[in-house]
Structures are given as C-alpha cells and as structure tokens.
Amino acid sequence: MIHSETFAEIATLKERNLIALKEAREAGRHAVGTYCLFSPTELILAAGAIPVSLCGTSQKPIPAAEKVLPRNLCPLIKSSYGFAVTDTCPYFHFADFLLAETTCDGKKKMYELLGELKPIHVMQLPQIQDEAALDYWLMEIGRLKTRLEREFGVRITDKALTEAIRLMNEERRSLQALQDVCKAIPSPISGLDLLTVLHNRGFSVDRRAAIELVDRFAAELRQMAAAGISPFTESTPRILLTGVPVGVGSEKLIRIIEESGASVVCLESCGAYKKVEQVREGGDPLRAIAERYLKVPCSCMSPNTGRLELVERLTREFRVDGVVDLTWLGCHTYAVESSVLKKHLQQRTGLPFLQIETDYSESDTGQLKVRVEAFLEIVHRSMKRTA
Amino acid sequence: MVSVGIDIGSTATKAVVFDGMVRGRAVVPTGWEPREAGLRAFREALSSAGLREESVSRVVGTGYGRVSLPFSDQRVTEISCHARGAWYLNPDTRAVIDIGGQDSKVILVSDDGSVSDFIMNDKCAAGTGRFLQVMAGILDLTLDELGSLAASSEPVPLTSMCTVFAESEIIGLLAQGTPKGAIAAGIIDAIARRMEGLVGRLEAHEGITFTGGLATNGSISGVIARRLGLSLHVPEDPQIVGALGAALIGCNA
Ligand code: SF4
Ligand code: SF4
C-alpha cells in the first residue's frame, strides 16, 4: 500500500463520513441513495439533499440475498440487495429514499423488490442515445425533479442546478486529474490503491472537502511520479481494465493482475473513467444534465459504440500494453459486448485482450491466476516485438 | 545445455530432459503432494536420461503445481508450454486443443511457437478429463473400454453438461435399458460439443494438435476428432507436451 497520510485519510473516509451523515440526518437534512452512474447527482444536490453511494461490492451479504434472488444472477445485484435486506449498508439505512434507473433486467427487477424495503424512485432509462431518447430522458429527469421537490418540500431552481453542475464538474475534473497521474511511466500508484481512493471518496458527505482531498493526493502523486517513485518499473506491463463496475470487496481481478507482475493503470469503469465526462455549463441546466447522463457508455445501451471509442482512446492515452475485460457471471450485456469490443480493439490497436468472467467469491482464484499469467506472457512478447 | 521441464498437473506430473533432443522423460501420479511428485518426476526423468542433477543448467516449472516446485529457475504457464511443445513436435501447429483433468483449453499458436490467444472452459468440470472419468465410473468402464464402445455406437444425446446432472441422466438412461455403447458415445459427443464451442470462438480450424492425458487414449481422441470434423494431429507422447514445452523454453530452443 502507498505511504501517504492523505491516502490513509481517504482510505478511512467511508467510516468517518458515516458519522457526518448521521449528524446531518439528525439535523434534518435529507439523503438519497444511488446505485448507478445514470443517477443525476446534480438534482439531489440542488434539492439540498445529500447523495450517497450504496454498498454492493462485497461477497458478505450474498448468501442472504440468495434466499430470494436466483443464484445465477450478477453478484453486483445480489450484493446490493443483500446489503439492503440485512440492513448492513449504513448508507442504505440513512437514505430517505432510493434513486434507481431501469438499466439491465436483473437490476430493474431487483428494484421492485427493494421497493418493499424503502421508498424508491425508478427512472425509465431509454436504451438508445439518440435525439428522441434525449427528449424522453429529459422528461424523466423532470419527473425526478418533481419527486424530489415534493418529498423534501423544496423548489429546485435553475440557479441551484447551475451551482450543482459546477460543483460536480469540479469533482469530475479532480477525479480525472487523479486518474491521469497514472499516465506516467511507471505509474506512481498501483491500480489497487487507486481503486481504494476512487471507491472511498464516493462515500463523502462534504463533496468540496473530498475534492480538495483528492486534489491534494493527486498533487502528491505527481511529485512522486516526477521523482520516479513507483511500485513498478518502466518495463512493467500496463493494463487497462474495462467492463463491469468494481469496488473495494470486488477487486479480486485487479489484485491478481498486479500480483502477477503488471500494473493496472486505467480503469474504464463506472466509478472511474466512465465518470469523468463534464456536464455542459450554460444554457438549460436540465437539458445539459440529461445530455451528459444519457451519454454514459454502459452496456445496457444498444448500440453502445461510445464504450468502444472510449476504451480505444484510453488505450492510447495511457499507453497500455494489454486490455482486460471483466464481466460478472450472469451479466449478459457486458458478456455479449466483450466479443464486439475484442474485435474492435484488435482491428484498431492490435493489443492483447483477455476476457475474464467471474463473481465475488474466491473459489476460482487459482484458475484466474493461470489465465492472467498466460495473458501476461502474451503481453510481454508483444511488448518486445513493438520495442 | 541440459534443460528440464516439469509439468505438475492435477492428476499427473510429467518431466522431460532436453539437450537439443529429448533425452529422458517421466510420468508419475501427482497425488496429494505436488512438490514430492515434482521431485520424483525430476529424478526419474534424469535417471532415464542417464544424467546427474549437476549437469542440469535450467529447470522450468509449469502446470497448476508450478508454484510448489522449490528448485525451478523459471515458471511458465501451461498455456505457453503446450503451445511451444506442440509446435516443436509439429511446426505446422497453429492451434492446440488440450483436455486436462480440471480444465480444457484451446490455444492459438503463432508461427514462432508462441501463444497469440487462448480460451479456457469456465469454472465447471463439463468437457474436462474429470467429467469423462466420472462418467466412465458410472458405466463401470475403463477409459479404453469407453472409447472403443463409443467408436462403434451411435450416440444417445445427453442434455446436461454439468457433471452432477449428467450423472443422474446416465443412471436414468441405464435404467431405461439404453445400451452402454450409446451412452459412451453420447458422453464423448458432449465433450466434443464443448470443445467445438471453444474451437469456434477462436476460429481455429487448421494445424490442430491434440495434447494432454486424454489424447493418449487413441480411441477417445479418434472419436473426438471425428465429432469435431477436424483432423487432429496427435503427437506420439501427448501427455508430456507441456513438460517438453517447459524444457524448450528453459533452453530457448
Ligand atoms: S455498468 Fe451501467 S448499469 Fe452498472 S452501474 Fe454502470 S452505468 Fe449503471
Ligand atoms: S454488472 Fe451487468 S448484470 Fe450486473 S448490474 Fe451491471 S449491467 Fe447489470
């Protein structure tokens, strides 16, 4: 693990923020729990409420979830539901209501079950990213605005929305700057530590403080990179990880990749690079929000060419040597899309590509190691060829 | 230069001594002690080559037990080793099908004997040597008997690929009086279908070498090749291809 006080501060944010959240709730502030990148955080902020990420990246509550949910469902969904039914996600506990979107089938049906535990607002998400879909999505965002206003007895003004956009853009900028540090060769931080930062800062109640913290940490990392401090060397293979969302508790694959001698320098996933795209400032704020969120290159979109373009661009920007595509068992959209992505990247970049299908359990660690090591043997050879 | 490759698989441990040609070999059961099995295979292979430990300049470990081998100079995955070994034995090899005890894989081989892509079966035992062994056990047949029965029968379709479900399906078929030969053919068919899926995903169709313990069984490999509709090249000693590959990588041959 990286030696840095700032890192230690971020790594313990999740626990410390819980107290802040509890106090805020007792002081009469509202909290809205979210699961997915499609949730427009700006509206929650503009309503004066606190947006909180909900837990769903640990194996622990999965057995409890399987009492109700089918066993062959995506672990992310089972974990999210498990945390909720066992009341072990404190953020879920403190949320006034949940905000969700109709993304993949498993999630959307799971939200119906969650509705029995807590009030939930489900936005009907279109599956295509064209003009007609945008109009529809804008209407859905309008519906969310009305719901928030009614629930919390407030009016969401354009001014508040504009401010929220500005704040969230700041956050996105700081997140991008943090991740861009890994463009240095070698990267000053391991993928595992980067994930810890990205994951934990998501639980902060005071967004401005979290932005400052991330900025401070990114500045430290830049200094380390300039001084050549890194857990890796210049010849360590650089890997881009794409696919399903990962977080602390579901980082098994990142650990195996780095234990096998590579460096995960870019995470093209929901909590990481998928998140950094800005909302346009100026003009109608609701429309600008709708535009940005509809553009999320998630595999539940059809077609989802945005992801192909994003991954391809990132392989160049981060100068990676190989791409690993992670799909959770039972996640059909990402699993099917994997062959499309592989073909696209092979034509455009020629980079070695590996798909891994797994869940949160540790039962296949041995097998995964063989695959990852064999993949890195291919990567090493292709690096030698291009050197 | 003398190089030794040791392939510690889940069922068998193989060792090959190479110094420009194969000098010695050994196959021993892995048992519960992969480390011991590795040592034993190493010594047996050396004595079959008439060499002493001092003359060995490099030891390369592969297979699932490669981490438990204390005296290896290098570790390489079985994927690279199978490719290298198969390519050495037959330079036309462009793909390797390997059906092992725990997993089966298809490996694409470049024209320099290195791996360009590979695919492995997922978590379950379907389509592996283990699947075949369990099924043969239910029919009370050795693998050889299973193979020759299958070769002369029309397969009864098995719907289940999962070892547990296939087991009860076979017991059901036996109870209905289905001939053993038809069931045996059905079992091999099931494996071939699984492999067909993997082979198709990587678009492998020429220069295919069949390696691994299962390939030593002539009748079974024959049936698999026929069902796949591909001509498979089976090396003389398919079980040691991984160990040979390891030895070759060790001396950079
Ligand atoms: S992968 Fe798609 S559905 Fe899942 S969290 Fe990300 S945006 Fe939402
Ligand atoms: S990983 Fe796939 S199946 Fe799981 S929630 Fe996300 S889109 Fe749905």
Side-chain angles (χ1 to χ4, degrees):
Chain A
M1 211 191 297
I2 194 164
H3 292 289
S4 149
E5 273 178 35
T6 319
F7 179 79
E9 212 176 308
I10 299 173
T12 53
L13 254 183
K14 198 176 166 187
E15 288 71 35
R16 282 185 293 118
N17 264 295
L18 201 52
I19 303 162
L21 178 62
K22 186 165 176 284
E23 284 168 0
R25 290 287 284 117
E26 279 160 3
R29 283 191 69 192
H30 297 287
V32 177
T34 64
Y35 281 109
C36 172
L37 188 48
F38 283 110
S39 293
T41 317
E42 283 82 354
L43 271 87
I44 304 171
L45 288 171
I50 307 166
V52 290
S53 305
L54 300 173
C55 307
T57 53
S58 145
Q59 168 73 20
K60 234 200 238 139
I62 287 186
E66 285 178 347
K67 287 187 189 157
V68 177
L69 296 175
R71 225 169 41 82
N72 59 350
L73 188 67
C74 149
L76 181 56
I77 305 178
K78 287 190 287 187
S79 178
S80 305
Y81 182 72
F83 269 116
V85 270
T86 55
D87 198 16
T88 44
C89 169
Y91 292 87
F92 184 90
H93 181 85
F94 285 121
D96 286 275
F97 75 92
L98 313 174
L99 174 55
E101 307 74 12
T102 53
T103 50
C104 67
D105 289 353
K107 256 178 146 178
K108 132 172 120 191
K109 298 309 284 184
M110 186 269 283
Y111 290 141
E112 293 174 20
L113 299 178
L114 276 189
E116 294 166 11
L117 302 171
K118 221 173 231 228
I120 188 164
H121 179 88
V122 180
M123 302 174 76
Q124 299 292 325
L125 179 72
Q127 295 169 21
I128 189 166
Q129 293 156 317
D130 64 7
E131 278 303 310
L134 181 62
D135 288 340
Y136 182 82
W137 182 233
L138 182 59
M139 198 176 76
E140 278 298 300
I141 288 189
R143 273 210 319 132
L144 171 65
K145 179 168 173 266
T146 314
R147 168 84 190 252
L148 287 163
E149 289 177 333
R150 202 184 56 224
E151 284 291 330
F152 301 148
V154 291
R155 274 205 40 77
I156 297 180
T157 61
D158 277 6
K159 184 164 165 282
L161 278 174
T162 308
E163 262 166 39
I165 290 174
R166 228 173 265 146
L167 176 63
M168 286 303 294
N169 276 347
E170 257 306 281
E171 180 178 298
R172 295 183 186 105
R173 181 212 38 83
S174 86
L175 283 179
Q176 174 164 6
L178 169 72
Q179 295 171 74
D180 283 347
V181 174
C182 301
K183 286 180 180 169
I185 299 182
S187 161
I189 183 172
S190 70
L192 214 51
D193 284 343
L194 178 68
L195 181 78
T196 306
V197 175
L198 291 169
H199 182 88
N200 280 296
R201 60 107 238 140
F203 292 92
S204 36
V205 172
D206 184 344
R207 289 201 113 77
R208 244 175 252 288
I211 293 170
E212 270 166 35
L213 203 55
V214 169
D215 277 343
R216 175 148 45 96
F217 186 54
E220 279 176 23
L221 288 176
R222 273 192 297 273
Q223 270 171 13
M224 287 168 62
I229 302 169
S230 165
F232 310 105
T233 71
E234 271 177 34
S235 54
T236 306
R238 300 165 60 81
I239 302 298
L240 177 143
L241 182 75
T242 175
V244 295
V246 271
V248 172
S250 62
E251 76 285 357
K252 170 173 78 175
L253 184 60
I254 302 183
R255 171 166 302 122
I256 292 174
I257 294 173
E258 297 201 320
E259 276 173 2
S260 306
S263 154
V264 175
V265 293
C266 182
L267 301 161
E268 182 276 329
S269 52
C270 286
Y273 230 89
K274 267 201 182 82
K275 214 182 169 83
V276 303
E277 171 106 3
Q278 300 265 321
V279 174
R280 180 173 46 82
E281 293 186 27
D284 174 16
L286 275 190
R287 193 159 187 99
I289 291 169
E291 273 167 13
R292 190 266 176 246
Y293 281 89
L294 188 63
K295 258 194 285 185
V296 171
C298 170
S299 68
C300 64
M301 287 292 163
S302 176
N304 182 30
T305 44
R307 177 168 172 231
L308 308 184
E309 284 154 20
L310 176 60
V311 175
E312 187 191 331
R313 174 165 70 81
L314 293 177
T315 62
R316 294 195 172 47
E317 285 182 6
F318 284 79
R319 288 182 279 174
V320 306
D321 303 303
V323 175
V324 177
D325 185 27
L326 173 63
T327 55
W328 297 131
L329 268 162
C331 172
H332 303 317
T333 52
Y334 274 103
V336 174
E337 201 165 280
S338 189
S339 66
V340 180
L341 180 66
K342 179 178 180 177
K343 210 153 124 219
H344 178 88
L345 290 179
Q346 264 166 359
Q347 282 164 359
R348 302 301 187 90
T349 69
L351 286 171
F353 181 94
L354 176 73
Q355 184 199 12
I356 291 288
E357 187 175 65
T358 185
D359 57 15
Y360 291 1
S361 75
E362 293 288 337
S363 60
D364 58 350
T365 311
Q367 273 218 356
L368 291 186
K369 273 200 179 125
V370 174
R371 285 172 209 211
V372 167
E373 282 173 26
F375 173 68
L376 290 178
E377 285 164 7
I378 297 177
V379 169
H380 272 293
R381 251 190 329 270
S382 101
M383 286 168 75
K384 248 186 244 154
R385 260 201 308 275
T386 49
Chain B
M1 155 180 195
V2 179
S3 165
V4 179
I6 305 176
D7 175 5
I8 308 186
S10 56
T11 359
T13 294
K14 289 79 65 177
V16 166
V17 183
F18 186 90
D19 68 347
M21 62 180 282
V22 176
R23 283 277 167 219
R25 65 182 289 283
V27 178
V28 306
T30 300
W32 299 110
E33 297 257 27
R35 189 170 172 276
E36 290 308 308
L39 253 174
R40 221 171 57 244
F42 177 65
R43 295 204 177 111
E44 276 185 30
L46 274 181
S47 82
S48 82
L51 289 171
R52 292 149 59 95
E53 285 186 31
E54 297 82 67
S55 41
V56 175
S57 30
R58 215 168 161 78
V59 178
V60 177
T62 187
Y64 102 104
R66 67 189 178 286
V67 279
S68 35
L69 207 61
F71 54 90
S72 64
D73 302 298
Q74 190 184 349
R75 291 171 189 152
V76 184
T77 62
E78 49 270 42
I79 316 259
S80 292
C81 292
H82 274 274
R84 188 53 160 282
W87 178 79
Y88 174 81
L89 294 173
N90 177 4
D92 290 333
T93 299
R94 286 299 166 273
V96 175
I97 294 181
D98 172 62
I99 303 186
Q102 305 290 333
D103 43 47
S104 33
K105 36 193 170 291
V106 176
I107 307 161
L108 289 191
V109 184
S110 335
D111 47 18
D112 65 349
S114 64
V115 179
S116 60
D117 204 353
F118 66 94
I119 191 164
M120 273 163 95
N121 69 313
D122 49 38
K123 270 187 182 176
C124 71
T128 65
R130 176 96 196 112
F131 176 82
L132 202 64
Q133 235 152 24
V134 172
M135 298 309 136
I138 302 169
L139 294 178
D140 201 19
L141 296 173
T142 66
L143 287 187
D144 270 326
E145 292 165 343
L146 185 104
S148 47
L149 266 180
S152 56
S153 312
E154 272 307 301
V156 51
L158 291 183
T159 49
S160 190
M161 292 295 274
C162 161
T163 317
V164 177
F165 290 127
E167 190 172 341
S168 44
E169 199 175 342
I170 288 172
I171 293 170
L173 286 169
L174 283 173
Q176 287 163 28
T178 314
K180 272 189 183 181
I183 302 177
I187 291 168
I188 295 187
D189 229 26
I191 294 198
R193 276 204 312 269
R194 244 299 148 106
M195 296 314 294
E196 209 184 330
L198 295 184
V199 168
R201 288 192 81 151
L202 287 189
E203 293 174 34
H205 30 65
E206 44 164 356
I208 303 181
T209 296
F210 188 22
T211 66
L214 215 55
T216 49
N217 189 312
S219 44
I220 291 185
S221 61
V223 180
I224 290 185
R226 222 174 39 247
R227 298 265 194 269
L228 278 176
L230 296 166
S231 64
L232 297 185
H233 171 254
V234 181
E236 212 172 287
D237 200 349
Q239 214 179 351
I240 61 150
V241 172
L244 170 63
L248 289 166
I249 290 172
C251 62
N252 232 331

